[in-house]
Amino acid sequence: MPAATASQTIGPYWHLIEHKEWADLTRFGAEGERIEVTGRITDGAGDAVVDAAVEIWQASPPADERFPGYGRSATDSDGRFRFVTLKPEAVPGNGNQTQAPHLSVVLLARGLMTALRTRVYFQGEALNETDPLLSSIEDPAERATLIAKPIGAGAWNLDIRLQGAGETVFLEV
Amino acid sequence: MSDTAPFRPFAAGTQPPLDHAAYGSTHLRHPKRALRPLAQTVSETTGPHFTPALFPEIGDLTKQAKGEPLGERIIVAGRVTDEDGRPIPNTMVEVWQANAAGRYAHPRDTHDAPADPNFPGEGRVFTDAQGHYRFVTIKPGAYPWRNHHNAWRPVHIHFSLFGTGFAQRLITQMYFSGDPLLALDPIYHGIADAGARDRLVSRFDLDITEPEWALGYRFDIVLRGRGATPFEEAH
């Protein structure tokens, strides 16, 4: 049986499949606690990554016909992405573990031959202290690269640094 | 197999690295730290479910404007399975590509080749119960990029697949057999394993070809399998 098909870069022209409304996961009438999640992506020179596709998937709240659980946002000319979604709750972990509320993130761009994967957690959640991933990261500065900060009512921000100082923790899944 | 069983690791050499000196755009965009291994949870083993009702199909890329695009009409078809050969039914397949002259309908594409107002270049289809997909398009053109002196991308169509769990998410490119640019392309050659590279190359297929109408090409796609490998189970 052949191995999984190889990944290739999404390239700079993926916007041919961009539909801006996909960044709003509440567009089908989902009800719940609406939040805005933003961030800015920079490269190893500190320059904005202006051609990325940022995708999120969340296992909580459960996806249904009114809540896709999945969204895609292009970064703009300043490297910023923006989602509107429902605030996730705790997510079951493996065994009897519980994961803190989080979003799964897939990052795709020119120069990324495979997707980069990371997560967005939310500052102030009590479960962050015992989350299996967060608590496995010993360096508080590294851990902080996964935790969005509140920037207003229902608004959260987490910047992503692809390389160098403050580099985001990326995951092998 | 449980639909929340974790996906297997990739086979060695079959996926490209993030840091690849020959591909300039990787230089400032690859993490310097090693990726942190994550035990898969439902956040990775489950994923989005799309339906044509909410994500309408675009199965004929030559019928998306008033007129027909210029270029050689082709049919691309294949099957989406997992590494155990199980078909992945009803899964969304997104495609996008340059026009026949090698230019994308994209404001940042400044290649000096004619735009084609009849070719937006986006497609979206769903696999059937046996994992088969099919779309109609025109054969894209090669185009230059500035990676190195006289650099040209081989003719390709971009593919996006979701599978049944977010850890299966795949973005890839389909190439055409016999393209002399493949031998020179650092993105294609970022994949170390020759067999894995070759499986990105579609094949002319007379059974997909329609008489008096269009040539057909086959491109099968394999997404990660779930659970222990059959090899491990045999021990």
Side-chain angles (χ1 to χ4, degrees):
Chain A
M1 225 23 94
T5 300
S7 173
Q8 296 275 265
T9 178
I10 199 168
Y13 305 132
W14 69 270
H15 307 84
L16 268 60
I17 61 164
E18 185 195 3
H19 298 273
K20 292 186 188 303
E21 67 273 19
W22 289 23
D24 181 356
L25 287 73
T26 67
R27 69 191 183 280
F28 299 124
E31 290 176 9
E33 183 186 347
R34 272 170 65 111
I35 57 169
E36 178 186 76
V37 179
T38 57
R40 181 167 185 261
I41 305 181
T42 49
D43 68 12
D47 292 331
V49 174
V50 302
D51 52 11
V54 185
E55 298 187 332
I56 57 172
W57 161 249
Q58 53 191 98
S60 167
D64 59 26
E65 63 275 8
R66 299 175 73 182
F67 182 64
Y70 164 84
R72 180 157 67 204
S73 171
T75 52
D76 65 15
S77 59
D78 192 35
R80 293 184 186 280
F81 61 87
R82 177 182 182 270
F83 293 99
V84 174
T85 188
L86 298 183
K87 181 87 186 292
E89 296 179 355
V91 176
N94 293 324
N96 55 12
Q97 292 177 322
T98 299
Q99 304 183 85
H102 67 275
L103 310 173
S104 296
V105 176
V106 158
L107 187 55
L108 302 152
R110 170 179 61 86
L112 298 180
M113 291 201 288
T114 63
L116 281 175
R117 294 172 178 274
T118 185
R119 284 184 172 185
V120 174
Y121 288 87
F122 299 89
Q123 189 180 79
E125 291 283 347
L127 284 168
N128 287 350
E129 304 305 318
T130 55
D131 177 84
L133 172 61
L134 289 181
S135 59
S136 76
I137 303 173
E138 290 180 7
D139 181 345
E142 286 188 31
R143 202 183 310 133
T145 69
L146 300 180
I147 304 175
K149 292 183 169 62
I151 55 168
W156 298 83
N157 188 81
L158 180 63
D159 293 338
I160 295 176
R161 294 182 179 86
L162 298 186
Q163 187 186 89
E167 184 175 298
T168 294
V169 170
F170 293 106
L171 304 169
E172 181 176 13
V173 171
Chain B
M1 185 64 61
S2 156
D3 64 1
T4 57
F7 295 96
R8 296 198 285 270
F10 291 109
T14 63
Q15 298 291 325
L18 286 159
D19 182 13
H20 184 48
Y23 176 21
S25 291
T26 67
H27 297 176
L28 288 170
R29 291 188 166 191
H30 72 274
K32 297 278 192 184
R33 269 203 316 264
L35 302 182
R36 178 173 284 269
L38 176 71
Q40 293 173 37
T41 70
V42 290
S43 296
E44 292 74 37
T45 62
T46 66
H49 178 67
F50 302 93
T51 62
L54 293 178
F55 298 86
E57 290 197 281
I58 308 169
D60 188 340
L61 284 72
T62 74
K63 296 278 194 286
Q64 301 308 313
K66 281 183 183 164
E68 286 207 79
L70 293 174
E72 178 190 348
R73 185 190 300 121
I74 62 171
I75 302 160
V76 178
R79 196 163 184 228
V80 182
T81 61
D82 69 14
E83 290 176 300
D84 299 307
R86 283 186 288 258
I88 302 183
N90 311 314
T91 196
M92 186 167 78
V93 181
E94 298 175 283
V95 297
W96 71 102
Q97 63 170 85
N99 70 21
R103 184 161 178 177
Y104 288 84
H106 191 289
R108 284 206 283 263
D109 186 352
T110 56
H111 174 35
D112 180 17
D116 187 340
N118 292 317
F119 194 72
E122 177 192 19
R124 183 192 302 141
V125 293
F126 285 78
T127 59
D128 68 13
Q130 285 78 44
H132 296 285
Y133 74 89
R134 177 186 182 275
F135 62 93
V136 174
T137 186
I138 49 97
K139 190 171 182 180
Y143 57 85
W145 60 315
R146 297 186 179 89
N147 187 68
H148 54 274
H149 174 66
N150 212 4
W152 293 76
R153 288 304 324 283
V155 172
H156 62 275
I157 297 176
H158 296 268
F159 275 70
S160 153
L161 291 103
F162 291 86
T164 58
F166 210 41
Q168 279 182 320
R169 182 84 178 97
L170 174 69
I171 298 287
T172 190
Q173 300 180 24
M174 178 200 106
Y175 301 101
F176 289 84
S177 61
D179 188 335
L181 296 170
L182 282 172
L184 308 172
D185 185 52
I187 294 179
Y188 177 68
H189 281 276
I191 305 158
D193 183 272
R197 277 201 304 274
D198 190 56
R199 284 187 290 109
L200 293 186
V201 180
S202 62
R203 306 293 173 196
F204 169 70
D205 190 313
L206 197 59
D207 292 328
I208 296 170
T209 299
E210 294 199 7
E212 316 297 326
W213 197 66
L215 297 184
Y217 293 86
R218 170 170 290 278
F219 182 55
D220 294 326
I221 297 161
V222 181
L223 302 181
R224 298 170 73 175
R226 290 185 191 263
T229 63
F231 179 79
E232 286 169 349
E233 284 168 352
H235 282 253

